[in-house]
Amino acid sequence: MLKPARDYPSFRAVVERGELVRVVGAHSALAAALAEQAGFPAVWASSLEISAMRALPDASLLSMNEYLRAASEMQKALAIPVVADCDTGFGNNLNVAHMVHEYEDAGITAVCIEDKAFPKMNSFSGSRHELVDVGTFCSKLTVAKNTQRTPDFFVIGRTEALISGIGVDEALRRCEAYEDAGADAVLVHSKWPTNKEVLEFLQVWRRKCPVVIVPTTYPKWNADEAFRAGVSVIIYANHALRTLISALQETYRVILREGNTLGLESRIATLHDVFELQRLEEWKSLQP
Ligand code: SPV
Ligand code: MG
């Protein structure tokens, strides 16, 4: 019998297994379903990927409802949890409370908010990234935790201290305060070309809160090594988007160049693959 919505564990339950959690970014339910098929235990509903699907920059342009819709479409297609990238929380404490109501209602079990000022710019955009002060962000985290209705709801507090260039000590000071304010995990984001800054952070971090990283600019660091160094969750945030771009560029080029699609056929998914991802047979069984 067709079950359009599937059962899935909360992100907290996945983290509490005690193993390294590798999370991959997605921009659509289809990409999320492929991540699940590949074996990932959770999916990151990335603000960069979701904005890029509209050919727009990741600059607080889309509304909360647009991000929520994308995350909730992903969650409906999955038997693994979505971690929703909620940027700055879409405004002040009131926006954060509204966000938690809406995301929790939609069945999302984990959200991530960051300490940049609204409106924000993507962390790799080369802009000056203004942060809110520690107290302001702690207050957002406390509001988020006080708003949730299910005990499992998981709030990640993300610092952009390293992205804005104010150093590892400040990142530590902020993450300690975010844990004290109720964050269930801290995300320390870095754009350093190696794992240097994150390692310095981990060497001093003595708190219980799990540490989340996004190793976009230091892709050499192996997951097992990161786990041994104290990382609990790794987010591969934008590789799906970049793969999509390269794959489509190549397909479109070949079609125009060759005048037919013969050379592509063995390299691209079949329609059977498409129907399977759509669970077409299950849907067809509704109307015998
Ligand atoms: C995202 O994937 O939208 C992120 C990670 O927040 S980053 O793009 O590195 O800021
Ligand atoms: Mg983002």
Side-chain angles (χ1 to χ4, degrees):
M1 186 58 197
L2 180 71
K3 273 172 69 184
R6 300 161 70 198
D7 292 332
Y8 52 92
S10 67
F11 184 66
R12 181 182 299 280
V14 173
V15 171
E16 287 180 354
R17 289 175 194 158
E19 298 158 7
L20 174 68
V21 183
R22 287 187 288 174
V23 183
V24 76
H27 45 265
S28 63
L30 180 70
L34 288 166
E36 179 182 350
Q37 199 180 68
F40 282 94
V43 164
W44 170 246
S46 154
S47 67
L48 172 65
E49 295 220 5
I50 294 166
S51 306
M53 280 307 103
R54 301 269 301 271
L56 286 171
D58 179 22
S60 297
L61 295 183
L62 302 188
S63 68
M64 184 200 78
N65 281 331
E66 291 171 291
Y67 286 117
L68 171 59
R69 178 166 183 162
S72 125
E73 282 173 356
M74 291 181 208
Q75 190 61 82
K76 281 184 198 148
L78 300 178
I80 55 174
V82 167
V83 180
D85 177 4
C86 291
D87 283 352
T88 62
F90 309 107
N92 64 16
N93 288 3
L94 282 71
N95 301 85
V96 169
H98 177 55
M99 174 201 99
V100 172
H101 278 140
E102 297 295 305
Y103 275 75
E104 207 179 14
D105 256 15
I108 303 296
T109 65
V111 293
C112 177
I113 54 175
E114 66 196 50
D115 56 8
K116 287 215 278 268
F118 176 89
K120 65 96 204 226
M121 265 288 171
N122 182 264
S123 305
F124 298 112
S125 65
S127 323
R128 200 181 68 79
H129 299 285
E130 189 197 334
L131 305 192
V132 295
D133 63 43
V134 180
T136 302
F137 192 67
C138 285
S139 170
K140 284 189 182 184
L141 288 168
T142 305
V143 165
K145 292 306 291 175
N146 289 341
T147 304
Q148 74 185 63
R149 278 167 297 166
T150 51
D152 261 13
F153 193 74
F154 197 93
V155 177
I156 302 172
R158 160 172 165 178
T159 187
E160 295 281 290
L162 301 177
I163 297 293
S164 69
I166 53 178
V168 174
D169 288 348
E170 181 62 13
L172 281 158
R173 184 177 83 90
R174 283 180 173 256
C175 286
E176 285 168 8
Y178 301 165
E179 177 177 330
D180 293 342
D184 296 294
V186 293
L187 189 161
V188 58
H189 198 8
S190 167
K191 58 181 178 188
W192 198 265
T194 69
N195 59 3
K196 174 181 160 298
E197 285 182 335
V198 169
L199 267 182
E200 281 171 22
F201 177 96
L202 291 165
Q203 274 153 12
V204 183
W205 182 252
R206 290 287 165 270
R207 299 297 196 91
K208 281 217 299 286
C209 232
V211 173
V212 184
I213 62 162
V214 183
T216 303
T217 57
Y218 44 102
K220 244 174 72 181
W221 204 19
N222 193 273
D224 298 329
E225 267 177 60
F227 186 49
R228 280 196 295 275
V231 171
S232 297
V233 179
I234 304 181
I235 299 175
Y236 301 95
N238 51 47
H239 302 79
L241 171 67
R242 289 158 59 201
T243 302
L244 176 74
I245 293 169
S246 314
L248 287 181
Q249 281 172 333
E250 173 62 8
T251 292
Y252 293 162
R253 235 182 256 133
V254 168
I255 295 174
L256 280 181
R257 192 182 59 219
E258 305 297 325
N260 66 55
T261 62
L262 185 65
L264 280 178
E265 296 299 336
S266 61
R267 288 193 271 145
I268 59 179
T270 62
L271 281 176
H272 176 76
D273 298 331
V274 175
F275 295 156
E276 257 194 6
L277 281 160
Q278 294 171 311
R279 298 155 75 203
L280 178 61
E281 286 309 315
E282 285 177 72
W283 284 98
K284 277 169 66 180
S285 70
L286 293 178
Q287 186 67 54

